[in-house]
Amino acid sequence: MRQILWLLALPALVGAVAGAGVGVLAGTFEDTGLDWLNHAPGYTAALVSLLALPATFAVVRLAGLIGRPSGAELYIHTYHEPPGRLPLREIPARILAAITTVGLGGSQGFEAASALLGSSLADATSRWRLLAIPPEAARSLITAGASGGIAAVFSSPAVGLLYGLEVPFRRDLDAPRLVPATVASACAYAARVAVAGAHPLIEVRELPSLEPVFVAGCLVIGVICGLGGRVFAWSQTRLQHLARRSHPLLRVGVASLLLGLLAWAGHALAGTWITLGPGHIAADWL
């Protein structure tokens, strides 16, 4: 009976609540908010995007999160460090920081915030003494919560499942968490659809035919994306090292100016604000 509770019932509950919460966040600030910003008159979107990083920096500074791990890193650290407890007091400020970034047009999505929302709900649930959840089952529940959050934000149960099982490792898969992560991802996706509707990045209207040219094209795209990901990761690491040598306010100012210029340049090239948010506007333009 306890196995059913830990492996099925609690992951389903956590996934559903996380999916509903992510649906509210994404539906309000990604779908409605960014759509309004995309259709705002003149260069309103570029001007508003200048405020994204200063507002986020203010939230992070006031909450005392400077120098702390980011949302995605926090989940990984919690997973590997016993007893695997998230700093629940930090969660509201971290989610608010994500809202200010995304809602004001920053080139970012709710991925980390969604995983953090799901895993923090799972962590809070696992602390109930009445449930008497052992440490290993609590870790599985946290994985399920993170999977549910990602499944909801990407409108894809499969993506959420793989996130929870793969992200804590570099070249491994946490197979023992498969059942709770699957249940949470499915329930989170269903709750997201019920609350705000599904919003996949790319809508596949018909299945492609598996012709040799199509398969070859997929392989080429996969290689290019892999190489691009490596370059992006290397660039991010170099920029992080460089950032430690300058004042935070200088970094925020320069980055905000660059985001505003990129927004203006993207609009000049495409006729729409393709740099805003997690990529829905750019995908719709494509």
Side-chain angles (χ1 to χ4, degrees):
M1 186 65 184
R2 287 187 175 274
Q3 292 293 326
I4 294 176
L5 177 67
W6 298 334
L7 294 179
L8 299 178
L10 288 180
L13 175 63
V14 168
V17 176
V22 172
V24 172
L25 284 177
T28 303
F29 297 101
E30 277 189 359
D31 300 346
T32 304
L34 288 181
D35 182 69
W36 175 85
L37 203 57
N38 186 36
H39 294 93
Y43 289 96
T44 302
L47 296 175
V48 171
S49 68
L50 294 173
L51 303 176
L53 291 182
T56 302
F57 177 76
V59 172
V60 172
R61 189 64 178 266
L62 291 174
L65 298 178
I66 297 293
R68 302 288 185 89
S70 65
E73 293 172 340
L74 186 60
Y75 165 63
I76 297 173
H77 291 175
T78 303
Y79 181 93
H80 289 288
E81 294 179 3
R85 296 299 189 186
L86 286 164
L88 297 180
R89 292 181 179 180
E90 297 180 3
I91 304 304
R94 289 179 179 273
I95 294 177
L96 179 58
I99 289 173
T100 55
T101 303
V102 177
L104 295 175
S107 299
Q108 180 71 16
F110 282 116
E111 295 87 356
S114 298
L116 201 57
L117 176 62
S119 58
S120 63
L121 287 171
D123 188 16
T125 303
S126 68
R127 298 188 190 194
W128 291 356
R129 295 182 179 180
L130 183 63
L131 297 175
I133 300 178
E136 194 64 18
R139 180 174 293 186
S140 294
L141 191 59
I142 290 176
T143 301
S147 296
I150 293 297
V153 76
F154 281 108
S155 295
S156 171
V159 172
L161 171 63
L162 292 175
Y163 177 91
L165 300 184
E166 283 189 312
V167 163
F169 303 96
R170 288 186 176 181
R171 294 179 178 87
D172 204 349
L173 188 69
D174 192 12
R177 325 289 178 189
L178 177 62
V179 172
T182 302
V183 172
S185 297
C187 292
Y189 172 74
R192 155 73 196 247
V193 173
V195 170
H199 195 178
L201 190 61
I202 298 175
E203 294 185 10
V204 180
R205 293 180 175 83
E206 59 183 17
L207 294 177
S209 57
L210 295 179
E211 299 176 353
V213 174
F214 176 77
V215 174
C218 290
L219 293 175
V220 171
I221 292 297
V223 171
I224 293 175
C225 288
L227 294 175
R230 296 286 295 187
V231 173
F232 183 87
W234 177 84
S235 302
Q236 185 181 29
T237 301
R238 296 295 297 176
L239 287 172
Q240 287 175 342
H241 287 302
L242 180 63
R244 296 189 183 100
R245 305 175 185 176
S246 57
H247 194 277
L249 290 177
L250 176 62
R251 298 200 302 269
V252 170
V254 172
S256 298
L257 181 61
L258 287 174
L259 284 178
L261 290 174
L262 287 171
W264 171 82
H267 188 274
L269 290 171
T272 187
W273 300 101
I274 58 174
T275 66
L276 301 188
H280 292 292
I281 296 175
D284 290 340
W285 174 77
L286 288 172

